Amino acid sequence: MFFTRKFRKSCSDAGVQLRMLPMTTFISEMEPRAKRFASSTEEERTKFVDDAVPVSTKKATSTWIRALEDYAEEKSVPLDFKLTPVPELAKLLEGFYADAKRKNGEPYKRNSLVAGRAAISRHLISLRPTVNIFNDAEFKQSNKVLDGVLKERKRSGQEPAVEHKSAISPGDLEKLKEHFADVQDTQDPIKLSMYVWFISTTHFCLRGGEVQAKLVKSDLVFSSPDGRERVTLATDFMSKNHTGGLKGSSFSSIGCIEDQRQIRVIKKYLSHLHPECDRLFQRARTTKGMADSCWYMNAPISHNLLSAMMRKLSEASNLSQSYTNHCLRATSITLMKFAGLEDRKIMAVSGHKNVQSLQAYDRPTLADASAAASAIDCKPATTKSAPGKENTVLCASSETSAAAESVVPPVSPGGICVYGSSNVTISLSPYPPARAAPPRNPRLPLKLKKKVKPENDES
């Protein structure tokens, strides 16, 4: 530390003796300053980059890279993604697109081949950022081969039909309701966890087992904003439509659980979870006494088990078919559409970014196809209605007029028949009623018809 000449002279005049101390003395006596920033390692930063890619994307990439390597080995073509020249790699892709088949010998579907090309592109870019199999001139011919293969399959009728995940049928929904009828008083931990998983997946439109495996107890928030208790989801998880990051978007679902019976079951489930495990879905104990308060183990349910949860529930409830987890998401969206919710409100629950994406869940059902055929034949038909309720439209014929009284409930004036909360119009004519003519604008003059003189009129 240094003192100015003026300060030293003032101290000397005042008889004050200055003593010079080393700088380390002051530094050692100072309190250590708290660190503001964390100290990340190179390994942790690499993990951040690796974890930003969804697990499903990694799985798809490795599957297609392995398929391409198997093809190159079968054709005796050397393949090294880092060293193989671009022209040779493009030639290899031409043959792969034309010859690619599944292990069982069946051809890949169109969407699978398109996804495979994207997976190969991701892998190449991670190793050779300058190579682009979509836009580079060297890969123009291989892309033409892929386009031609897909068009030829379409033209020859070899393209397999796209199988959308169907919503759960009304009859199976009733079976599920019967299966969980005693869940509030059950002592079965597996049935209890299945029910909480079922209502959480349907109300929040959760996508697959990847998100469900990350849920923790605190993600379920209990609140009463309007005096009625409800359960909401507190965490914004990364999904296919909302990946987060610099280019992605965030999303918070407005989905909630308001049924008081369901809320009581959730509270019962939370009270029996293992206190040392933070995950929401835990493995059930195999041996449990009736007096034990902890029904679950200190271990979460794995991602694979959660992904197969709906298939297990289909077997336990003896449903008409084996449904998948995504069928629950399709069921929730279908039910909201039947209830008359606007697309933007459904998107606020499901997380879809585009209204056109919801059209996949508004597909014509078997009842719609039956109604179309019956309309042509002028026979009784079942039209699209809310799940669990069937609306019967009758046409005027000798066969249907006698059955009208036995099939159709009492009709109120105006032809409106009430089924629960849905109004159904009963038409007793072979064709829809003609639309009334629009009212004439009084300001416009009437068109006068020109009088035609009869031929036998001599006047």
Side-chain angles (χ1 to χ4, degrees), residues 174-191:
E174 289 295 327
K175 289 182 180 180
L176 288 172
K177 184 178 179 181
E178 295 174 1
H179 178 72
F180 290 123
D182 61 340
V183 68
Q184 193 168 351
D185 302 322
T186 187
Q187 299 290 326
D188 186 357
I190 296 179
K191 176 182 281 191

Side-chain angles (χ1 to χ4, degrees), residues 18 66 70 95 109 122 126 189 281 304 345 433:
L18 297 176
R66 189 164 53 249
D70 293 344
K109 295 181 180 179
R122 284 194 301 268
S126 65
F281 298 113
N304 293 336
K345 295 180 180 179

Side-chain angles (χ1 to χ4, degrees), residues 146-449:
L146 177 59
D147 184 61
V149 167
L150 297 178
K151 288 182 178 179
E152 176 60 27
R153 290 183 184 178
K154 190 77 171 179
R155 183 166 44 249
S156 60
Q158 298 178 0
E159 175 65 26
V162 178
E163 297 178 1
H164 295 283
K165 299 300 181 182
S166 60
I168 301 177
S169 65
D172 287 339
L173 285 176
E174 289 295 327
K175 289 182 180 180
L176 288 172
K177 184 178 179 181
E178 295 174 1
H179 178 72
F180 290 123
D182 61 340
V183 68
Q184 193 168 351
D185 302 322
T186 187
Q187 299 290 326
D188 186 357
I190 296 179
K191 176 182 281 191
L192 185 61
S193 62
M194 274 190 170
Y195 182 74
V196 174
W197 172 87
F198 178 80
I199 60 177
S200 300
T201 304
T202 52
H203 284 79
F204 302 129
C205 286
L206 298 180
R207 184 192 299 275
E210 186 174 350
V211 172
Q212 299 163 3
K214 298 177 182 178
L215 288 174
V216 296
K217 303 173 187 176
S218 58
D219 286 333
L220 297 182
V221 179
F222 296 84
S223 61
S224 304
D226 53 357
R228 181 179 177 85
E229 190 174 21
R230 64 175 62 185
V231 179
T232 55
L233 196 62
T235 308
D236 174 21
F237 291 98
M238 182 177 67
S239 63
K240 183 178 73 172
N241 296 331
H242 303 278
T243 57
L246 297 176
K247 297 181 180 180
S249 59
S250 60
F251 170 75
S252 181
S253 174
I254 66 169
C256 64
I257 301 174
E258 289 190 341
D259 186 86
Q260 298 304 305
R261 176 179 175 272
Q262 296 175 355
I263 294 177
R264 288 192 295 269
V265 174
I266 293 176
K267 290 182 177 180
K268 175 183 177 180
Y269 172 72
L270 293 175
S271 66
H272 291 297
L273 290 178
H274 198 286
E276 297 181 5
C277 184
D278 194 39
R279 294 293 179 88
L280 179 62
F281 298 113
Q282 304 175 5
R283 295 176 59 185
R285 292 173 56 184
T286 54
T287 57
K288 175 186 69 68
M290 297 296 292
D292 293 344
S293 60
C294 183
W295 294 1
Y296 299 90
M297 303 169 61
N298 186 14
I301 300 179
S302 65
H303 169 267
N304 293 336
L305 287 178
L306 283 173
S307 299
M309 188 73 82
M310 192 59 212
R311 285 196 292 269
K312 294 181 178 295
L313 185 56
S314 300
E315 297 176 2
S317 304
N318 194 23
L319 303 184
S320 61
Q321 67 181 76
S322 180
Y323 294 97
T324 63
N325 289 6
H326 195 79
C327 293
L328 284 182
R329 180 176 170 86
T331 302
S332 301
I333 297 174
T334 303
L335 289 172
M336 287 187 285
K337 275 187 166 293
F338 272 117
L341 268 70
E342 300 177 7
D343 288 342
R344 61 181 183 86
K345 295 180 180 179
I346 297 177
M347 293 166 60
V349 177
S350 64
H352 285 91
K353 298 174 66 175
N354 195 335
V355 178
Q356 295 179 352
S357 301
L358 296 179
Q359 295 178 359
Y361 301 95
D362 197 19
R363 299 183 299 272
T365 61
L366 182 62
D368 295 329
S370 178
S374 300
I376 297 173
D377 297 333
C378 292
K379 293 181 179 180
T382 301
T383 59
K384 184 176 177 182
S385 62
K389 298 171 182 152
E390 293 184 348
N391 302 340
T392 303
V393 177
L394 299 181
C395 300
S397 65
S398 58
E399 299 176 358
T400 60
S401 58
E405 297 180 359
S406 60
V407 177
V408 183
V411 181
S412 60
I416 301 299
C417 175
V418 179
Y419 285 85
S421 59
S422 59
N423 295 334
V424 183
T425 302
I426 307 299
S427 175
L428 297 179
S429 62
Y431 299 102
R435 295 183 178 180
R440 186 183 66 84
N441 191 340
R443 296 182 180 180
L444 298 178
L446 290 173
K447 293 184 178 180
L448 300 178
K449 293 184 179 180

